[in-house]
């Protein structure tokens, strides 16, 4: 059941996926993977943030402090329920548990940037990039964030953009 739902979703059979998930609930499936996938289904396919939270918390009852679930929980709060404060609180807890998770650091940085905390965002983006320097999304978000910071000259922002180009736009043997 945990794996069938995502397969049907990828095939565009959303109603079939939902019926599989409902059947799983009816027969009492009680696994982390089932609730993790069910929470993602309600968040991303049904856009039902409250159901997504309900099943995310059930997943966390089974696997407390699971890194992937905490990360998704923050996305549910921010992107679907438009509650950046709760999302930030989830990610702050996740950073305490997983201080070297580049994904969590990058997502918290993005929330800081979105809410005008550009200096905090810059520091978290740089920490995330120090852990995973090949993350193009974090690097791109970092560049956008520094372009919003006061105190940087256009030339300093340009130099940071050149670093991005040197890392990602110059494939070897060209």
């Amino acid at each position: 059941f945990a794996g069938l739902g995502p397969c049907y979703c990828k095939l565009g059979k959303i109603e079939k996926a939902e019926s599989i998930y409902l059947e799983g609930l009816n027969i009492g499936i009680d696994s982390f993977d089932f609730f993790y996938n069910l929470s993602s289904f309600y968040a991303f396919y049904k856009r039902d943030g409250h159901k997504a939270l309900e099943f995310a918390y059930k997943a966390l009852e089974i696997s407390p402090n699971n890194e992937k679930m905490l990360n998704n929980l923050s996305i549910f709060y921010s992107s679907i329920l438009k509650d950046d404060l709760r999302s930030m609180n989830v990610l702050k807890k996740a950073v305490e548990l997983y201080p070297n998770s580049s994904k969590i650091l990058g997502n918290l940085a993005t929330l800081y940037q979105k809410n005008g905390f550009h200096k905090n965002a810059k520091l978290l983006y740089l920490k995330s990039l120090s852990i995973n320097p090949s993350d193009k999304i974090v690097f791109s978000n970092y560049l956008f964030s520094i372009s919003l910071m006061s105190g940087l000259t256009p030339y300093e922002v340009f130099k940071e953009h050149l670093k991005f180009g040197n890392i990602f736009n110059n494939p070897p043997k060209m």
Side-chain angles (χ1 to χ4, degrees):
F1 286 89
L4 282 175
C7 291
Y8 280 118
C9 289
K10 287 180 183 178
L11 294 172
K13 298 181 178 186
I14 306 307
E15 297 308 316
K16 180 66 176 170
E18 186 170 27
S19 72
I20 291 290
Y21 283 128
L22 292 175
E23 185 180 344
L25 285 171
N26 286 335
I27 64 171
I29 302 278
D30 190 27
S31 74
F32 171 81
D33 289 335
F34 178 74
F35 289 121
Y36 176 86
N37 288 338
L38 186 56
S39 68
S40 296
F41 172 78
Y42 276 104
F44 302 124
Y45 289 96
K46 298 304 248 181
R47 305 302 288 174
D48 185 337
H50 297 290
K51 286 266 193 201
L53 290 179
E54 176 186 344
F55 296 118
Y57 282 110
K58 285 188 182 231
L60 287 170
E61 285 175 14
I62 296 166
S63 181
N65 302 323
N66 181 280
E67 181 179 0
K68 290 186 332 181
M69 191 71 262
L70 288 171
N71 195 52
N72 276 9
L73 183 61
S74 75
I75 293 168
F76 303 161
Y77 275 122
S78 179
S79 298
I80 297 164
L81 296 173
K82 308 299 181 205
D83 189 341
D84 287 349
L85 182 59
R86 282 198 179 159
S87 182
M88 280 190 245
N89 287 335
V90 169
L91 288 172
K92 287 177 185 177
K93 175 185 175 183
V95 167
E96 289 176 12
L97 297 166
Y98 305 100
N100 294 316
S101 170
S102 64
K103 180 149 308 270
I104 288 172
L105 291 166
N107 286 342
L108 183 55
T110 298
L111 277 172
Y112 279 153
Q113 180 268 316
K114 177 181 171 189
N115 288 281
F117 302 106
H118 302 297
K119 288 183 181 179
N120 291 353
K122 178 185 175 186
L123 294 173
L124 286 174
Y125 282 133
L126 290 173
K127 184 171 181 183
S128 176
L129 288 168
S130 74
I131 296 164
N132 183 4
S134 64
D135 190 326
K136 294 178 187 178
I137 294 171
V138 170
F139 209 128
S140 178
N141 289 342
Y142 162 71
L143 293 176
F144 177 71
S145 183
I146 65 165
S147 70
L148 301 174
M149 291 179 65
S150 60
L152 290 180
T153 67
Y155 182 69
E156 290 169 318
V157 173
F158 176 71
K159 287 192 317 188
E160 290 298 314
H161 278 77
L162 284 178
K163 285 182 193 175
F164 180 81
N166 286 334
I167 293 170
F168 296 109
N169 295 333
N170 296 320
K173 299 180 184 173
M174 276 200 67

